[in-house]
Amino acid sequence: MSDAITTEIIRHGLLAAAEEMARNLCRTAYNTVVYEIHDYGIGIHDANGDVVADAPGIAVFTRGNDHGIKKAVEFLGRDAMRPGDVLILNYPYWSSAHTLDPLVFAPVHHGEELIGFASCRIHVLDLKQKDPGYVLDSTDMYQEGLFFPASKLYRAGVQNDDVFNVIRFNSRMPQRTIGDIQAQVSACVTGVRRTQEIAAKYGAGTLLRAMDAINDHGERLARLALAKLPKGTWTAHDFVDSDGVDLDRLIKMHVTVTITDNEMIIDWTGSDRDVKGPINLPVGQTEAFCSLIFKALTTPDTPVVAGNFRPMRVITEPGSVMHAVPPMPTFTLWTGLLGGEVVLKALAQGMPDRVPACSGGDVSSMMGLGINPRNGETWLEATNEAVGFGAHATGDGEDGIMHLSEPGCRNNPVEVLETKSPMFIESYGYRPDTGGPGRFRGGVGVGRTYRFTAPSTGICLVYKTRTKPWAIGGGRPGENNHIVLNPGTGREVVQGGGYNHLEAGDVLVNNTGGGGGFGDPFEREPERVARDVRNGFVSAAAAARDYGVVVDPDSLDVDAAATRRLRGAEPAA
């Protein structure tokens, strides 16, 4: 067995290797979704495919990488993975994501011995899915693009032109798509090289024992934290706006969470079945977003390792929205972004002091595409938008930050969007009065206004507009997400997600939701309400209506006497 000091040195070496993989990826990727937003999942794994080090991006990607590697090994066999091989997997039911989130991974060998894997998953721009940009209404897997079932991009270090030519002749944007995939290869080769250097320095046996120790330690930490959580069973449900096909049908996500002395069980039995559109989840992604919530509750301050999740068990029904089986469509993965807060909604019944209220509840993504009049080339740019976080037992929710499903991500800067596309950002800022009132206020959402200077398509990926972000302990819900087309004109439309065909001069506003409140809003200190008014988070009218606090319109200070009367603490004159 390895001594603790050597194990810790190896652990940090693997973490440094994963971070170097991420830096190489961002330096070589063609796609702003990767190098600006950090829409990636990077990991170094042991010989079983279990992650031992990662570089934070989209949290659910890394856990999904474990699932995908194991499915690939099951399909091909360990002996088929040779030194110098690099593979691509995007068959959704194995890879844990849709076709445009391919998993690229490489085996790590010490001599002829397989000792681990390096993995990199990103969002690429086009693999012959039926619609450019994103698919919102597919009804089976065959409309969702090319599938690679653990195909070799490189064999023994030599590029497999057959696979790259399939991509080149089928993608609408072959240069950027292949460039991004080669950036994934670069990241994986970096991970392989650095892991091999550690094996050469300390010995393969020492490295393998250290990997086991890292995951065993991660399990011990999780079990210690689990033992401190309340025990019980709680049930909750929430809804996705629609499946993209049956537009009037809310899709139910139903969960029962049980915590025992030994495990947390997250059971999705009772979630909707027979969902026609592409919001069905590969089971690997369901397991991944559940892992994110479990990690946040048990070991939030340590890097992700597979051992953290040994005390967690996920139950799904094959054929349900939480466990897609072929040929169910899976392209629009938003169920996996919304589902984590359904788990929190259940847990809030048993531990309201440990979990926050619902956030704005969505990543509220906007993707634009078309022909750029500056150069005549196809353009495609996207950004996810910040939301308000839910309030909690110890304070207000954060204002305008990235959704909890993507804690390592950023949005796309205004300057980048305007440089690379015919979009002009007219305004961008906080949305007052969107945070749910409470003793602790929910964070406010944001609004971004796009003016399109050329005919374009605006794809809005927003799936929580018909239900409000829930609150805790007497707090009030936050305001919804919504899209507004051409506000203030005779053509104004307020809507949720969908395709929008836009002409030059059209305006699209992406308004994101605020978090739910915590506790009775009339218990909020008046001075805190006044400060929110001064900062533009709460209007004076909402301060009086929702909090019973009267703010002087000139000084923006609390009118104490009027506030006491409004709150019923002092009789009216």
Side-chain angles (χ1 to χ4, degrees):
M1 110 177 243
S2 300
D3 66 90
I5 293 175
T6 301
T7 296
E8 190 68 0
I9 292 170
I10 289 173
R11 183 176 75 87
H12 281 274
L14 294 170
L15 287 168
E19 289 290 346
E20 185 181 354
M21 291 171 66
R23 299 289 73 75
N24 280 359
L25 173 71
C26 289
R27 281 196 294 265
T28 55
Y30 282 49
N31 176 1
T32 61
V33 171
V34 179
Y35 65 78
E36 292 288 356
I37 295 176
H38 292 180
D39 190 330
Y40 58 70
I42 284 174
I44 294 176
H45 310 253
D46 66 16
N48 296 317
D50 289 320
V51 66
V52 293
D54 84 331
I58 291 187
V60 297
F61 274 3
T62 306
R63 284 292 292 152
N65 291 5
D66 287 22
H67 187 93
I69 291 171
K70 291 177 181 182
K71 285 293 185 181
V73 172
E74 181 182 317
F75 178 59
L76 295 177
R78 293 166 64 92
D79 292 343
M81 297 183 182
R82 305 298 302 155
D85 288 351
V86 183
L87 299 94
I88 183 170
L89 170 66
N90 75 334
Y91 184 60
Y93 317 99
W94 296 352
S95 74
S96 310
H98 65 185
T99 48
L100 292 192
D101 290 342
L103 168 63
V104 172
F105 66 100
V108 182
H109 290 83
H110 182 74
E112 290 295 308
E113 182 184 7
L114 178 65
I115 60 172
F117 296 91
S119 73
C120 177
R121 186 194 303 272
I122 67 171
H123 180 85
V124 300
L125 297 183
D126 195 279
L127 286 172
K128 205 185 178 182
Q129 69 281 1
K130 78 179 187 70
D131 300 313
Y134 222 85
V135 177
L136 306 183
D137 60 356
S138 51
T139 54
D140 63 45
M141 60 185 277
Y142 305 109
Q143 302 169 37
E144 298 186 344
L146 299 171
F147 298 120
F148 296 100
S151 305
K152 291 191 177 182
L153 294 168
Y154 285 77
R155 296 179 183 273
V158 178
Q159 180 172 300
N160 182 358
D161 288 334
D162 291 342
V163 172
F164 281 101
N165 283 333
V166 168
I167 297 170
R168 180 173 291 108
F169 285 89
N170 283 277
S171 174
R172 297 175 181 89
M173 288 176 275
Q175 181 182 22
R176 293 174 71 184
T177 299
I178 290 175
D180 285 337
I181 291 171
Q182 292 283 32
Q184 291 178 270
V185 172
S186 173
C188 289
V189 170
T190 298
V192 170
R193 184 183 302 123
R194 296 293 179 252
T195 306
Q196 287 174 331
E197 289 170 356
I198 293 171
K201 182 173 183 178
Y202 296 99
T206 299
L207 172 60
L208 293 173
R209 288 189 294 272
M211 287 177 166
D212 288 342
I214 289 166
N215 272 321
D216 289 344
H217 180 252
E219 178 184 4
R220 288 195 298 274
L221 291 177
R223 291 195 182 280
L224 286 170
L226 182 69
K228 299 176 183 177
L229 296 180
K231 308 302 184 286
T233 297
W234 309 280
T235 297
H237 68 268
D238 210 333
F239 297 92
V240 184
D241 280 355
S242 79
D243 66 359
V245 176
D246 289 336
L247 299 181
D248 295 327
R249 178 189 175 188
L250 289 166
I251 304 301
K252 185 178 183 180
M253 303 172 287
H254 184 275
V255 71
T256 300
V257 182
T258 299
I259 299 179
T260 70
D261 291 335
N262 300 313
E263 64 180 347
M264 177 184 288
I265 305 164
I266 303 175
D267 184 354
W268 293 99
T269 301
S271 296
D272 272 357
R273 303 178 64 86
D274 302 317
V275 176
K276 295 179 183 178
I279 65 165
N280 301 291
L281 288 185
V283 68
Q285 183 162 116
T286 301
E287 294 170 350
F289 81 72
C290 291
S291 297
L292 174 60
I293 301 301
F294 184 80
K295 176 74 175 169
L297 283 169
T298 54
T299 54
D301 299 323
T302 60
V304 169
V305 297
N308 293 150
F309 310 106
R310 290 173 184 167
M312 183 196 75
R313 180 158 54 99
V314 178
I315 299 172
T316 58
E317 294 180 297
S320 72
V321 70
M322 293 297 180
H323 188 153
V325 296
M328 290 171 66
T330 61
F331 199 97
T332 310
L333 298 171
W334 253 243
T335 310
L337 306 180
L338 275 58
E341 293 192 279
V342 187
V343 179
L344 291 177
K345 188 177 184 181
L347 291 171
Q349 300 168 42
M351 53 186 85
D353 58 327
R354 292 177 180 261
V355 301
C358 188
S359 75
D362 205 323
V363 303
S364 300
S365 182
M366 206 295 292
M367 177 181 291
L369 64 149
I371 302 298
N372 194 331
R374 298 172 193 158
N375 54 25
E377 296 180 356
T378 298
W379 69 275
L380 190 159
E381 295 297 333
T383 189
N384 299 338
E385 214 55 87
V387 296
F389 261 42
H392 46 89
T394 58
D396 295 345
E398 292 293 330
D399 301 297
I401 62 174
M402 304 309 285
H403 186 256
L404 60 83
S405 63
E406 47 180 19
C409 293
R410 313 179 298 191
N411 60 14
N412 217 336
V414 168
E415 295 82 358
V416 171
L417 293 175
E418 292 185 339
T419 300
K420 292 181 172 291
S421 74
M423 295 189 294
F424 177 69
I425 311 303
E426 291 193 332
S427 65
Y428 185 33
Y430 290 127
R431 294 180 63 212
D433 297 337
T434 52
R439 179 186 176 193
F440 296 114
R441 173 180 59 78
V444 300
V446 303
R448 192 192 300 237
T449 301
Y450 301 81
R451 182 176 294 276
F452 290 81
T453 61
S456 306
T457 298
I459 306 173
C460 298
L461 295 157
V462 188
Y463 282 84
K464 189 174 177 62
T465 67
R466 298 170 65 185
T467 57
K468 289 198 171 188
W470 45 269
I472 296 178
R476 298 180 191 170
E479 285 300 313
N480 296 70
N481 308 280
H482 63 274
I483 304 296
V484 185
L485 300 178
N486 297 307
T489 72
R491 298 182 296 128
E492 178 175 322
V493 176
V494 180
Q495 64 176 49
Y499 267 87
N500 299 284
H501 298 290
L502 306 166
E503 297 300 324
D506 280 350
V507 172
L508 184 153
V509 184
N510 188 0
N511 285 324
T512 72
F518 186 103
D520 184 350
F522 272 50
E523 294 180 1
R524 187 169 178 81
E525 297 93 327
E527 180 49 43
R528 297 186 72 172
V529 178
R531 185 168 65 245
D532 285 340
V533 173
R534 289 193 291 271
N535 288 334
F537 296 135
V538 176
S539 66
R545 180 188 67 236
D546 297 331
Y547 294 93
V549 175
V550 178
V551 177
D552 183 273
D554 297 319
S555 69
L556 298 182
D557 292 327
V558 176
D559 184 329
T563 295
R564 287 193 296 271
R565 288 194 296 272
L566 191 57
R567 286 188 165 186
E570 179 178 299

